Amino acid sequence: MFFVRSASEKDAEAIRELLVETWHATYDGFYGEAKVNELIAAWHSLSAIKANIGKRDGEYLVADDGRQIGGIGFAAMSQKMTKTALLRQLYVHPSFQGHGIGRDIFAELETCFPDAEIMRLEVEPRNERAISFYNRLGFAEVDRTKNCGGEASGIEAIIMEKRLFA
């Protein structure tokens, strides 16, 4: 059984390992292994993970069964959009997908931002499984971008939002 808790810097290496394995399982078919390695290096380095764990207006969660981390989630308040929390990461290890871990992590994350009225995320348009998951959580498509994760990335994404209720 996995329990959701706040991540600490001690979790950074295990988080990185989960991200590497999950990203390759999810995105190699879309982008190819070389591009996925490039994105992992840019977005999921140990220093980036530790910075997110320590982010003042953010929350980094892990699902932990005492032996391993089965999933992670990271969200932070937007610096540009008022009353909006940005879901930046929600990943479950491939061997544990479909067991409710992602749902449990998200349920905790959506309570972590009392000033937020909206939770927003970006998702790969070809990742039908993730889009379906987010639809079940109450998200809806509101826009699209050609620069997922930051300016000039050249990566297309669907932008989805969910209204949060206090």
Side-chain angles (χ1 to χ4, degrees):
M1 175 175 249
F2 285 88
F3 296 94
V4 177
R5 64 171 174 80
S6 292
S8 73
E9 281 199 21
K10 293 184 299 185
D11 298 313
E13 185 60 46
I15 290 169
R16 178 164 164 70
E17 289 173 16
L18 181 142
L19 286 168
V20 168
E21 191 163 342
T22 304
W23 265 66
H24 280 294
T26 304
Y27 298 111
D28 279 3
F30 301 141
Y31 305 129
E33 184 178 356
K35 180 66 173 177
V36 170
N37 283 333
E38 177 186 318
L39 292 169
I40 289 169
W43 293 351
H44 304 307
S45 67
L46 279 176
S47 61
I49 292 166
K50 288 177 182 180
N52 286 338
I53 289 170
K55 193 164 178 62
R56 189 172 140 260
D57 290 332
E59 186 65 42
Y60 211 121
L61 301 176
V62 295
D64 184 348
D65 72 354
R67 294 184 322 270
Q68 62 192 335
I69 291 175
I72 63 97
F74 170 65
M77 287 300 292
S78 172
Q79 301 302 309
K80 296 178 181 177
M81 294 174 281
T82 60
K83 299 188 183 273
T84 302
L86 304 174
L87 180 59
R88 294 293 192 191
Q89 298 174 348
L90 183 55
Y91 295 101
V92 176
H93 189 280
S95 62
F96 299 117
Q97 291 176 3
H99 296 256
I101 293 170
R103 181 198 62 227
D104 291 348
I105 293 169
F106 179 75
E108 184 67 27
L109 276 174
E110 74 179 330
T111 68
C112 292
F113 302 95
D115 294 334
E117 294 177 1
I118 294 170
M119 178 84 64
R120 181 178 250 228
L121 62 85
E122 297 174 341
V123 62
E124 159 62 52
R126 295 169 289 181
N127 191 344
E128 294 173 8
R129 187 171 184 187
I131 293 166
S132 176
F133 171 75
Y134 291 126
N135 282 327
R136 288 192 308 275
L137 292 177
F139 283 86
E141 181 176 340
V142 296
D143 203 357
R144 292 192 177 229
T145 182
K146 293 192 182 292
N147 293 302
C148 180
E151 286 187 34
S153 74
I155 299 170
E156 292 187 29
I158 294 172
I159 299 171
M160 301 180 82
E161 288 185 352
K162 176 183 180 176
R163 183 149 301 279
L164 302 175
F165 300 100

